[in-house]
Amino acid sequence: MKILVVDDSSTMRRIIINTLSRIGYTNVVEAEHGKAGLEKLAQGGIEMIVTDWNMPEMDGLEFVGVVRSTDTSIPILMVTTNAAKEDIVSALQAGVNNYVVKPFTPETLKEKIESLLG
Amino acid sequence: MEQTEIDALMTMGKSSKKSKTASSGAKPASEAPDVNAPAADAKPAPVAPPPAAPAPVPPPAASAAAKPATQKPEQPARLITEIGSVTSVTERETNKVMDKLDMISRLLDRQKDLITGMMGNENAQNPAIQSAIQQIMGASSDIQNQVYEAMDLMQFQDITRQKLERIIHHLRQIHDYILDLLGTGFQTEEQEHHKVSLSRTIAQTGTTPDENKPHADSVVEEFMRAQKKD
């Protein structure tokens, strides 16, 4: 299982990658914003995406929209500080499969990932 | 910057603008940028309205008039740069702490391997030794869990960074507004690639993990139920 982690914070990427590693997902590629994420995606082999929302260059919502225009099946988990109900609904309408609000516990990330892959 | 200071600056700006409008036909105050407005690609965040009674400030028209129109006020721009550098430094230093935690984690893994090897040694088959080894293994696992928890707590850095980005955004708007009032023609230098969409709930975001999980889960469930009905 190859997972793409998109977040402009190197600290957050590291935390997410560490958590993924602890729950058994060690094949992870990372990108610092949506545009870089699309480039990684184009290289192929990605089976799941974990993305932030607030990023430079291309934010998470736009990134999800671009991904969904060509791929309707890849599971996408959004991990963001945006907690407003309207934001969560916007993300789901854009094509996100599940949503985690930062800060999160590793158990939550595990639960969401397993539910998407289950 | 405290809200009262922002309010004071805004009060100063508005009064000054009125004065300029009356004397030189400058733009009306209604065209002033809204300091509460988020970045172009973000939704507005709830920000407390200015108090009914404005904070005492020096006479605005006098302070605006004291500066030559061609002089670029450096203080706010420097402040923006300084706050920006704080976010970079904290991210770099947080990564150094993460490096150390990673190292501790690897050393613990190595320790566990050594202890596991020791357990198989024929000289360590004494029940008392085996019991002691088990206790050491348990302690190692506890330390490992604490290291993981410490790593997870580093999420505060990202949240703090986003809070500072929002403050920078407001400062930029105030800065550009003041420059506009002074008629200098200068604008904040903000490169496109540094523009980040801002979280409108970041001001309320705390550092307690999963604080918003029940809320987010219920919105997701509600959405999914509605999708299924359709």
Side-chain angles (χ1 to χ4, degrees):
Chain A
M1 167 68 63
K2 192 174 180 181
I3 300 176
L4 170 64
V5 175
V6 189
D7 199 307
D8 59 328
S9 162
S10 60
T11 310
M12 277 313 303
R13 288 201 303 273
R14 217 165 152 171
I15 289 167
I16 293 169
I17 291 169
N18 272 339
T19 308
L20 289 172
S21 170
R22 272 184 265 162
I23 60 177
Y25 300 103
T26 51
N27 191 4
V28 181
V29 287
E30 52 185 302
E32 60 185 16
H33 47 68
K35 267 188 189 170
L38 290 175
E39 285 166 17
K40 299 281 182 186
L41 208 55
Q43 290 168 13
I46 307 288
E47 292 164 274
M48 183 180 180
I49 299 170
V50 178
T51 183
D52 183 24
W53 184 322
N54 302 299
M55 297 180 285
E57 297 277 351
M58 179 188 282
D59 70 27
L61 202 64
E62 190 183 351
F63 170 64
V64 171
V66 175
V67 172
R68 281 288 177 247
S69 67
T70 55
D71 188 331
T72 54
S73 62
I74 189 167
I76 305 177
L77 176 65
M78 184 162 270
V79 182
T80 173
T81 54
N82 293 11
K85 182 178 180 179
E86 307 89 279
D87 290 338
I88 301 172
V89 170
S90 297
L92 293 165
Q93 284 170 339
V96 159
N97 298 97
N98 217 322
Y99 201 95
V100 173
V101 179
K102 295 175 187 173
F104 58 87
T105 58
E107 289 76 24
T108 294
L109 194 64
K110 184 182 178 192
E111 174 198 320
K112 300 294 177 186
I113 286 172
E114 286 177 346
S115 78
L116 289 184
L117 298 175
Chain B
M1 177 178 275
E2 296 289 328
Q3 184 63 46
T4 51
E5 292 176 80
I6 295 172
D7 294 341
L9 268 169
M10 291 309 297
T11 310
M12 182 169 66
K14 275 180 182 162
S15 307
S16 172
K17 186 144 229 174
K18 273 181 199 162
S19 161
K20 278 167 72 83
T21 307
S23 61
S24 63
K27 288 180 201 169
S30 60
E31 288 179 31
D34 175 14
V35 288
N36 292 335
D41 49 355
K43 291 172 186 171
V47 177
V57 288
S63 62
K67 283 184 179 171
T70 52
Q71 188 183 337
K72 182 180 179 180
E74 296 293 341
Q75 200 77 10
R78 200 181 313 131
L79 194 59
I80 290 167
T81 309
E82 282 171 13
I83 295 173
S85 74
V86 167
T87 63
S88 308
V89 170
T90 53
E91 184 164 2
R92 190 185 66 215
E93 298 304 311
T94 303
N95 273 313
K96 283 185 188 172
V97 176
M98 296 281 281
D99 286 343
K100 294 290 179 195
L101 291 170
D102 268 340
M103 179 59 77
I104 295 170
S105 188
R106 280 197 296 274
L107 289 170
L108 283 168
D109 284 342
R110 174 79 182 128
Q111 189 186 52
K112 278 182 193 169
D113 289 345
L114 289 170
I115 295 169
T116 306
M118 199 190 294
M119 285 177 85
N121 190 306
E122 62 179 42
N123 295 324
Q125 297 313 306
N126 179 305
I129 293 173
Q130 286 287 318
S131 169
I133 289 172
Q134 290 290 355
Q135 285 179 40
I136 294 168
M137 287 288 271
S140 292
S141 293
D142 291 344
I143 296 168
Q144 185 73 275
N145 289 335
Q146 293 295 320
V147 168
Y148 287 150
E149 277 185 36
M151 284 181 182
D152 295 332
L153 289 172
M154 294 297 161
Q155 290 178 76
F156 86 90
Q157 192 277 328
D158 181 45
I159 291 160
T160 308
R161 180 183 62 95
Q162 290 192 50
K163 288 186 177 189
L164 288 173
E165 275 170 359
R166 191 156 190 94
I167 292 168
I168 289 172
H169 172 72
H170 288 316
L171 279 174
R172 248 187 206 119
Q173 285 191 314
I174 294 167
H175 181 230
D176 287 349
Y177 179 50
I178 293 169
L179 290 174
D180 182 46
L181 281 173
L182 295 174
T184 61
F186 291 112
Q187 289 295 307
T188 313
E189 289 164 15
E190 185 184 22
Q191 292 173 325
E192 278 301 312
H193 69 276
H194 282 142
K195 283 187 179 172
V196 182
S197 59
L198 301 172
S199 166
R200 59 178 176 155
T201 53
I202 193 67
Q204 291 81 46
T205 303
T207 51
T208 308
D210 284 348
E211 201 168 12
N212 282 297
K213 186 178 184 292
H215 160 69
D217 285 353
S218 72
V219 176
V220 172
E221 278 168 28
E222 190 185 326
F223 183 86
M224 296 301 180
R225 273 200 305 272
Q227 290 285 95
K228 274 182 189 169
K229 273 185 192 173
D230 295 342

Coordinates of all heavy atoms in Angstrom, one line a residue, chain B residues 109-141:
Chain B
D109 N 14.6 0.4 20.1 CA 14.5 -0.8 19.2 C 15.7 -1.7 19.3 O 15.6 -2.9 19.5 CB 14.3 -0.4 17.8 CG 12.9 0.1 17.5 OD1 12.0 -0.2 18.3 OD2 12.6 0.8 16.5
R110 N 16.9 -1.0 19.3 CA 18.2 -1.7 19.4 C 18.3 -2.4 20.8 O 18.7 -3.6 20.9 CB 19.3 -0.7 19.2 CG 20.7 -1.3 19.4 CD 21.2 -2.1 18.3 NE 22.5 -2.6 18.5 CZ 22.9 -3.9 18.4 NH1 21.9 -4.8 18.0 NH2 24.1 -4.3 18.6
Q111 N 17.8 -1.7 21.8 CA 17.9 -2.2 23.2 C 17.0 -3.5 23.3 O 17.3 -4.5 23.9 CB 17.4 -1.2 24.2 CG 17.6 -1.5 25.6 CD 17.0 -0.5 26.5 OE1 15.8 -0.1 26.4 NE2 17.8 0.0 27.5
K112 N 15.8 -3.4 22.7 CA 14.9 -4.5 22.7 C 15.5 -5.7 22.0 O 15.3 -6.9 22.5 CB 13.5 -4.1 22.0 CG 12.6 -3.3 22.9 CD 11.3 -3.0 22.2 CE 10.5 -2.0 22.9 NZ 9.4 -1.5 22.1
D113 N 16.1 -5.5 20.9 CA 16.8 -6.6 20.2 C 17.8 -7.3 21.0 O 17.9 -8.5 21.1 CB 17.4 -6.1 18.9 CG 16.4 -5.7 17.8 OD1 15.2 -6.1 18.0 OD2 16.8 -5.0 16.8
L114 N 18.6 -6.4 21.7 CA 19.7 -7.0 22.6 C 19.1 -7.8 23.7 O 19.6 -8.9 24.1 CB 20.5 -5.8 23.2 CG 21.4 -5.1 22.2 CD1 22.0 -3.9 22.8 CD2 22.6 -6.0 21.7
I115 N 18.0 -7.3 24.3 CA 17.4 -8.0 25.5 C 16.7 -9.3 25.0 O 16.9 -10.3 25.7 CB 16.4 -7.0 26.2 CG1 17.1 -5.8 26.8 CG2 15.6 -7.8 27.2 CD1 16.2 -4.7 27.3
T116 N 16.1 -9.2 23.8 CA 15.5 -10.4 23.3 C 16.6 -11.5 23.1 O 16.4 -12.7 23.4 CB 14.8 -10.1 21.9 OG1 13.9 -9.1 22.2 CG2 14.0 -11.4 21.4
G117 N 17.7 -11.1 22.6 CA 18.9 -12.0 22.4 C 19.3 -12.6 23.7 O 19.6 -13.8 23.8
M118 N 19.3 -11.7 24.7 CA 19.8 -12.1 26.0 C 18.9 -13.2 26.6 O 19.3 -14.1 27.3 CB 19.8 -10.9 26.9 CG 20.7 -11.0 28.2 SD 20.4 -9.7 29.3 CE 21.0 -8.3 28.3
M119 N 17.6 -13.1 26.3 CA 16.6 -14.0 26.9 C 16.9 -15.4 26.5 O 16.6 -16.4 27.2 CB 15.2 -13.6 26.5 CG 14.7 -12.4 27.3 SD 13.1 -11.9 26.7 CE 12.1 -13.0 27.7
G120 N 17.4 -15.6 25.2 CA 17.7 -16.9 24.7 C 19.0 -17.5 25.2 O 19.2 -18.7 25.0
N121 N 19.8 -16.7 25.8 CA 21.1 -17.2 26.3 C 20.9 -18.2 27.5 O 20.1 -18.0 28.4 CB 21.9 -16.0 26.8 CG 23.3 -16.4 27.1 OD1 23.6 -17.3 27.9 ND2 24.3 -15.7 26.5
E122 N 21.6 -19.3 27.4 CA 21.4 -20.4 28.4 C 21.8 -19.9 29.9 O 21.2 -20.4 30.8 CB 22.2 -21.6 28.1 CG 23.7 -21.4 28.1 CD 24.5 -22.7 27.7 OE1 24.0 -23.5 26.8 OE2 25.5 -23.0 28.4
N123 N 22.6 -18.9 30.0 CA 23.0 -18.3 31.3 C 21.9 -17.5 31.9 O 22.0 -17.0 33.0 CB 24.3 -17.5 31.2 CG 25.5 -18.4 30.8 OD1 25.6 -19.6 31.2 ND2 26.4 -17.9 30.0
A124 N 20.9 -17.2 31.0 CA 19.9 -16.2 31.5 C 18.5 -17.0 31.8 O 17.5 -16.4 31.8 CB 19.7 -15.1 30.5
Q125 N 18.6 -18.3 31.9 CA 17.4 -19.1 32.1 C 16.9 -19.1 33.5 O 15.8 -19.6 33.8 CB 17.6 -20.5 31.5 CG 17.9 -20.6 30.1 CD 17.0 -19.7 29.2 OE1 15.8 -19.8 29.3 NE2 17.6 -18.8 28.4
N126 N 17.6 -18.6 34.4 CA 17.2 -18.5 35.8 C 15.9 -17.7 35.8 O 15.8 -16.6 35.2 CB 18.3 -17.8 36.6 CG 17.9 -17.6 38.0 OD1 16.8 -17.0 38.4 ND2 18.8 -18.1 38.9
P127 N 14.8 -18.2 36.5 CA 13.5 -17.5 36.5 C 13.6 -16.0 37.0 O 12.9 -15.2 36.5 CB 12.7 -18.3 37.5 CG 13.3 -19.7 37.5 CD 14.8 -19.5 37.2
A128 N 14.5 -15.8 38.0 CA 14.6 -14.4 38.5 C 15.2 -13.5 37.4 O 14.7 -12.3 37.2 CB 15.6 -14.4 39.7
I129 N 16.2 -14.0 36.6 CA 16.7 -13.2 35.5 C 15.7 -13.0 34.4 O 15.5 -11.9 33.9 CB 18.0 -13.9 34.9 CG1 19.1 -13.9 36.0 CG2 18.5 -13.2 33.7 CD1 20.4 -14.7 35.6
Q130 N 15.0 -14.1 34.1 CA 13.9 -14.0 33.1 C 12.9 -12.9 33.5 O 12.4 -12.1 32.7 CB 13.3 -15.3 32.9 CG 14.1 -16.3 32.1 CD 14.2 -16.0 30.6 OE1 13.3 -15.6 30.0 NE2 15.4 -16.1 30.1
S131 N 12.5 -12.9 34.8 CA 11.5 -12.0 35.3 C 12.1 -10.5 35.1 O 11.4 -9.6 34.7 CB 11.2 -12.3 36.7 OG 10.4 -11.3 37.3
A132 N 13.3 -10.4 35.5 CA 14.0 -9.0 35.4 C 14.0 -8.6 34.0 O 13.7 -7.4 33.7 CB 15.4 -9.1 36.0
I133 N 14.3 -9.5 33.0 CA 14.4 -9.1 31.6 C 13.0 -8.7 31.1 O 12.9 -7.7 30.4 CB 14.9 -10.3 30.8 CG1 16.4 -10.5 31.1 CG2 14.7 -10.1 29.3 CD1 17.0 -11.8 30.4
Q134 N 12.0 -9.4 31.6 CA 10.6 -9.1 31.2 C 10.3 -7.7 31.7 O 9.6 -6.9 30.9 CB 9.6 -10.1 31.8 CG 9.7 -11.5 31.1 CD 9.2 -11.5 29.7 OE1 8.7 -10.5 29.2 NE2 9.3 -12.6 29.0
Q135 N 10.7 -7.3 32.9 CA 10.4 -6.0 33.4 C 11.1 -4.9 32.6 O 10.6 -3.8 32.4 CB 10.8 -5.9 34.9 CG 9.8 -6.7 35.8 CD 10.3 -6.6 37.2 OE1 10.7 -5.6 37.7 NE2 10.1 -7.7 37.9
I136 N 12.4 -5.2 32.2 CA 13.1 -4.3 31.4 C 12.4 -4.0 30.1 O 12.3 -2.9 29.6 CB 14.6 -4.7 31.2 CG1 15.3 -4.7 32.5 CG2 15.3 -3.8 30.2 CD1 16.7 -5.5 32.5
M137 N 12.0 -5.1 29.5 CA 11.2 -5.0 28.2 C 10.0 -4.2 28.3 O 9.7 -3.4 27.5 CB 10.8 -6.4 27.7 CG 12.0 -7.3 27.2 SD 12.6 -6.7 25.6 CE 11.6 -7.6 24.5
G138 N 9.3 -4.4 29.4 CA 8.1 -3.6 29.7 C 8.4 -2.1 29.8 O 7.7 -1.3 29.3
A139 N 9.5 -1.8 30.5 CA 9.9 -0.4 30.7 C 10.2 0.2 29.4 O 9.9 1.3 29.1 CB 11.0 -0.4 31.7
S140 N 10.9 -0.6 28.6 CA 11.3 -0.1 27.2 C 10.1 0.3 26.4 O 10.1 1.3 25.7 CB 12.1 -1.1 26.5 OG 13.4 -1.3 27.1
S141 N 9.1 -0.6 26.5 CA 7.8 -0.3 25.7 C 7.2 0.9 26.2 O 6.7 1.7 25.4 CB 6.9 -1.5 25.9 OG 7.4 -2.6 25.2

